[in-house]
Amino acid sequence: MNSIKHAFFHSAKVQMLLSIARPMFQFIIWVMPLFTATITYFIYGGQSPERVFQYAVLGSGFMGLWSSIVFSSASDLTRERYYGTLESIFISPTSFSVILMGKIFGNTLWGIVSMVMAFLYLKLLFGIQIPKLSAPLFIGTLIIVIFAVCVFAFLLALLFTLTKYANTIMNVIEYPIFLLCGFVFPISILPNWLSWFSYILPPTWAIEALRNVTGVITIFTYQEALFGLSFITLLYILISVVIYNFVDKKARQSGQLGVL
């Protein structure tokens, strides 16, 4: 158990150092959240503090979080494949899933940093008011949200492992997730047939759970959002186990994980 924990946190540490060394990732973490925070504040700035927090702060923060996860999940595996190290990681004594989750966790922490930056930026520059929050409830919900988002990213990373077009897919799905999950607007304004796709994505329930911590109900109550997030996360865990076993079997049979 100690060796697994050590591998997980070491993988996260190394991943954080490697990610922040890339100019594109630096832009995603340090610069892009400021642009999105500014735009969302201009949209919601005249509304209640709860509304500003729910959509300007959390919305812009989640956009940065999602970008850091989707870009890292795709580009990091593609980079390992091109370097010829993906096979070595896959057959290392430590399970590939532990190393992969460590990578995802490291990039997720950078995403949390971008969320904090967006909040501080809006607070210092625009003087937004902080709504009344229960700190223990918010922190507890945030931990659950981080876990759920990591599970979602893990599933995506496994799917990216199966294709050499990961970077293309990565660029295609970034903005649709912004829209489907309602990062900067309630999904209730989406067409009914489209909103169903929102309900099967963990970020939708994650951001709704955090929004309801303010005490102002959005689309779902806090209990509904938390239950939905827990259920969909469990479902994604089960799917991830199935896909991981498939990837493992396919890679060991073909021996072509790095040259798909």
Side-chain angles (χ1 to χ4, degrees):
M1 181 61 69
N2 287 335
S3 61
I4 294 176
K5 183 169 64 175
H6 174 76
F8 174 84
F9 286 108
H10 184 71
S11 177
K13 177 183 176 181
V14 172
Q15 185 61 41
M16 291 183 73
L17 294 174
L18 291 176
S19 294
I20 205 61
R22 302 198 303 270
M24 182 61 184
F25 198 83
Q26 291 176 14
F27 175 81
I28 291 174
I29 298 300
W30 306 125
V31 180
M32 193 168 74
L34 305 185
F35 283 109
T36 55
T38 301
I39 293 172
T40 51
Y41 178 78
F42 286 159
I43 296 174
Y44 294 101
Q47 301 187 32
S48 67
E50 291 80 11
R51 188 81 167 177
V52 173
F53 183 82
Q54 289 174 344
Y55 291 97
V57 176
L58 292 179
S60 60
F62 256 77
M63 290 175 73
L65 175 63
W66 170 246
S67 294
S68 69
I69 288 175
V70 70
F71 273 95
S72 63
S73 296
S75 61
D76 289 338
L77 288 175
T78 301
R79 191 174 296 104
E80 298 286 0
R81 176 178 287 121
Y82 288 157
Y83 290 164
T85 55
L86 185 58
E87 300 97 325
S88 299
I89 295 175
F90 196 84
I91 63 173
S92 66
T94 302
S95 173
F96 178 67
S97 61
V98 174
I99 297 174
L100 183 56
M101 279 300 293
K103 286 175 171 289
I104 292 170
F105 181 69
N107 286 321
T108 301
L109 290 181
W110 278 126
I112 297 298
V113 170
S114 71
M115 292 182 69
V116 174
M117 277 191 55
F119 167 73
L120 293 176
Y121 169 76
L122 291 171
K123 177 64 178 176
L124 296 176
L125 189 64
F126 297 104
I128 64 170
Q129 299 180 24
I130 304 175
K132 293 181 179 180
L133 299 173
S134 169
L137 182 61
F138 182 81
I139 294 174
T141 305
L142 184 60
I143 292 173
I144 297 173
V145 164
I146 292 173
F147 176 76
V149 171
C150 284
V151 170
F152 185 39
F154 181 77
L155 176 59
L156 288 178
L158 288 177
L159 295 176
F160 289 147
T161 304
L162 294 172
T163 176
K164 62 182 178 180
Y165 301 109
N167 284 338
T168 302
I169 299 173
M170 167 190 71
N171 287 293
V172 169
I173 68 174
E174 183 186 14
Y175 278 90
I177 294 295
F178 288 166
L179 299 176
L180 285 174
C181 295
F183 287 166
V184 293
F185 58 81
I187 60 173
S188 57
I189 70 174
L190 294 174
N192 290 333
W193 65 270
L194 191 58
S195 63
W196 283 104
F197 291 98
S198 303
Y199 298 141
I200 63 174
L201 298 172
T204 300
W205 300 95
I207 194 169
E208 285 299 318
L210 284 175
R211 281 171 177 163
N212 277 280
V213 173
T214 63
V216 178
I217 297 175
T218 52
I219 301 172
F220 312 103
T221 65
Y222 176 76
Q223 291 78 9
E224 289 172 340
L226 198 60
F227 175 80
L229 179 61
S230 301
F231 175 79
I232 203 72
T233 300
L234 178 60
L235 180 61
Y236 272 66
I237 290 174
L238 297 176
I239 296 174
S240 296
V241 170
V242 173
I243 294 180
Y244 180 81
N245 290 332
F246 172 77
V247 171
D248 181 79
K249 182 178 179 180
K250 184 177 185 298
R252 296 181 188 280
Q253 287 178 342
S254 66
Q256 296 180 340
L257 186 62
V259 291
L260 282 172

